[in-house]
Amino acid sequence: MNTQLSIKGEVKKDQLIQELLKFGIFKKYNKQLYELPIVVLQKEFNHLGGE
């Protein structure tokens, strides 16, 4: 079950990264998007008007 949650989390993170890339966001702070936790990615996406 943990494997399924981990895979779902990675898929969600990948989706958020793709959406942020569409907005032209490539970095946040001094880090690449893939280095950030999903919480930060979700907040940035919500801030841009997603969901």
Side-chain angles (χ1 to χ4, degrees), residues 8 10 16-17 28-29 35 41 44 46-47 51:
K8 286 182 182 180
E10 286 299 313
L16 286 169
I17 289 171
K28 178 81 173 167
Y29 312 118
E35 296 177 289
L41 296 171
E44 185 66 20
N46 291 345
H47 176 73
E51 291 192 51

Side-chain angles (χ1 to χ4, degrees), residues 15-26:
Q15 289 172 339
L16 286 169
I17 289 171
Q18 291 304 314
E19 290 298 320
L20 291 171
L21 289 172
K22 288 178 189 175
F23 283 108
I25 307 292
F26 301 100

Side-chain angles (χ1 to χ4, degrees), residues 25 27-33 36-37 40 43-44:
I25 307 292
K27 292 179 87 175
K28 178 81 173 167
Y29 312 118
N30 62 345
K31 297 187 179 214
Q32 300 294 326
L33 294 179
L36 298 169
V40 173
K43 284 182 182 177
E44 185 66 20

